[in-house]
Amino acid sequence: MSKARELAELGAVYDSGALSNRNLIINGGMQVWQRATAATAVTNSTYGTVDRFRFWEDTDGAYTVERSTDVPSGQGFGYSTKLVVTTADTSLAGGQYAQFAQRIEAQNLQQLSYGTSGAKTITVSFWVKSSKTGSYAFNLYKNAAGNTAYLYYKSFSIDAANTWEKKIITISPTAGSTSFITSSAGALDPSTSTGFEVYITLAIGSSYHGATDDSWSSNTNEYSTSSNVNWLDSTSNNFYITGLQMEVGTEATPFEHRSYADELKQCQRYYWQIAGQNTLFGHGFYYGTTEFDCRVNFPVEMRASPSMTSSNNTNDFGIHQGGDYFPSFSGIQYYNGEGLNMYVTSNVSGTNGEAKYCAGNQSTAKVQFSAEL
């Protein structure tokens, strides 16, 4: 791409009102992996590896997700997300599928003016590579978010095996000559609920066929067509992706490389963890004689009151200088936007009101907070 072309495209973005923070996707450069970086098996509806991306697998096959340093040359990426088929399914049943997606808060999409005659065109771009060539599906699911759900479908092809290719998809609010998005039913409430789900569809059964290319549909089961590859048909198949960007406008501008610190903060709105031996988990006090309450402050305000998952190994956590050791926290209470209290009621005994602090007692200690969409 020439420098003049890049400047022209950035000029178009400026006209739309954004030069920075133009990428609506969080962690599109696959920088942040808080949960795991090694190959992790996908179960249906899994957040377990690369931050902000959710994976689905409902077939007779199986695949894993892992971090990879295989990236398109000269594009400034350090990592890609790699998928590998571990169990093949050579014949999908009608209701089976394999997909991954990122969900975007509705309040972060208000600049699109969906639900009005001024609804804006958006452009999605990404780098992709796979050992399996053929037709795949890109889907944009506009969640109801207080109104009506619609589904957009566009096919894209992997033309050469094991070769990085850049794909660009431009989505008009009237794609397919429809008025779904420009009518009031297409509006997105300014809320913390899901506004968009941005999908890559790897394999899809006949129950989800019937889509029309480059079109919005009110049938939210029409994810693809019979031409979609079955990526799960061989354990030789892999799939890599990085540089996923969604922006306002009709042109795909150069990928917006944000700092790791900025990307991490955006991810921590949805997921955050404390882990490790000698790591401070929080300060607290004995509430009564057999309960210890521990205050945790978030690094950023989370999207909503999070769920908590605590490791559960003998003596994972310790109350210092109290001498109490326990395997797991019992639950959470007193949530506000800045943090919450964790409490434990097993294996603890102290003086009512006495202040202590809690730390990881061994390397397996971990507490995870999730406010994912």
Side-chain angles (χ1 to χ4, degrees):
M1 181 183 293
S2 70
K3 185 59 65 178
R5 175 71 182 276
E6 289 185 4
L7 289 172
E9 291 175 351
L10 286 171
V13 173
Y14 177 78
D15 289 340
S16 298
L19 279 176
S20 63
N21 295 311
R22 65 184 184 276
N23 191 0
L24 297 171
I25 298 293
I26 297 173
N27 202 29
M30 314 299 169
Q31 293 174 274
V32 183
W33 298 67
Q34 293 185 82
R35 296 172 175 90
T37 59
T40 303
V42 170
T43 56
N44 201 25
S45 192
T46 299
Y47 280 110
T49 51
V50 59
D51 275 65
R52 297 299 300 121
F53 288 87
R54 190 168 191 164
F55 295 83
W56 284 265
E57 188 284 306
D58 186 11
T59 71
D60 296 321
Y63 70 97
T64 59
V65 182
E66 63 189 279
R67 189 172 72 180
S68 173
T69 56
D70 188 342
V71 294
S73 177
Q75 301 301 316
F77 300 111
Y79 298 111
S80 64
T81 294
K82 177 184 179 182
L83 316 180
V84 177
V85 177
T86 53
T87 302
D89 183 351
T90 58
S91 181
L92 294 177
Q96 293 183 322
Y97 51 85
Q99 302 171 294
F100 63 94
Q102 181 167 138
R103 292 175 169 174
I104 304 175
E105 285 183 61
Q107 66 178 358
N108 293 337
L109 300 169
Q110 297 305 299
Q111 68 269 42
L112 301 181
S113 300
Y114 273 28
T116 75
S117 59
K120 294 179 173 62
T121 295
I122 53 180
T123 297
V124 177
S125 55
F126 52 92
W127 287 89
V128 67
K129 169 182 171 179
S130 179
S131 56
K132 186 172 182 64
T133 60
S135 178
Y136 293 76
F138 171 85
N139 300 109
L140 182 60
Y141 178 82
K142 190 208 79 72
N143 197 280
N147 294 283
T148 306
Y150 298 111
L151 183 65
Y152 171 86
Y153 160 71
K154 176 67 178 178
S155 65
F156 70 91
S157 65
I158 292 180
D159 302 311
N162 304 312
T163 303
W164 280 105
E165 302 172 356
K166 186 175 184 179
K167 305 301 174 184
I168 298 174
I169 296 168
T170 300
I171 306 167
S172 166
T174 56
S177 300
T178 64
S179 58
F180 299 132
I181 301 305
T182 56
S183 70
S184 59
L188 291 162
D189 290 345
S191 68
T192 60
S193 62
T194 301
F196 279 175
E197 296 181 35
V198 182
Y199 282 94
I200 301 292
T201 296
L202 303 166
I204 195 86
S206 58
S207 298
Y208 302 102
H209 294 170
T212 301
D213 200 49
D214 189 24
S215 293
W216 289 99
S217 175
S218 57
N219 187 334
T220 55
N221 282 326
E222 293 180 342
Y223 279 89
S224 192
T225 69
S226 59
S227 65
N228 205 108
V229 300
N230 175 11
W231 177 75
L232 279 158
D233 65 2
S234 171
T235 54
S236 298
N237 293 344
N238 57 43
F239 187 96
Y240 298 77
I241 187 169
T242 194
L244 178 59
Q245 180 155 287
M246 172 181 284
E247 56 194 311
V248 177
T250 59
E251 301 289 342
T253 66
F255 184 81
E256 181 185 9
H257 290 279
R258 295 191 282 252
S259 72
Y260 177 84
D262 287 344
E263 211 74 78
L264 176 62
K265 285 180 181 179
Q266 292 200 52
C267 292
Q268 287 175 329
R269 176 169 170 78
Y270 304 93
Y271 174 85
W272 178 58
Q273 66 181 29
I274 319 173
Q277 190 172 21
N278 298 323
T279 298
L280 176 66
F281 281 73
H283 294 86
F285 61 94
Y286 285 97
Y287 181 78
T289 59
T290 58
E291 176 180 324
F292 185 78
D293 292 358
C294 178
R295 178 65 180 178
V296 174
N297 292 317
F298 304 144
V300 299
E301 183 174 338
M302 300 195 77
R303 182 189 66 85
S305 178
S307 61
M308 183 192 76
T309 303
S310 176
S311 60
N312 190 14
N313 303 291
T314 302
N315 296 339
D316 259 357
F317 306 94
I319 299 173
H320 303 264
Q321 306 279 317
D324 286 338
Y325 297 94
F326 56 94
S328 181
F329 282 95
S330 304
I332 60 177
Q333 56 189 0
Y334 306 130
Y335 162 80
N336 60 28
E338 297 178 352
L340 50 75
N341 281 12
M342 302 185 295
Y343 68 92
V344 56
T345 56
S346 62
N347 296 5
V348 295
S349 178
T351 302
N352 184 32
E354 187 175 13
K356 302 288 182 180
Y357 70 91
C358 178
N361 187 55
Q362 50 196 21
S363 60
T364 51
K366 179 187 289 188
V367 177
Q368 303 171 86
F369 303 97
S370 178
E372 297 282 8
L373 290 157

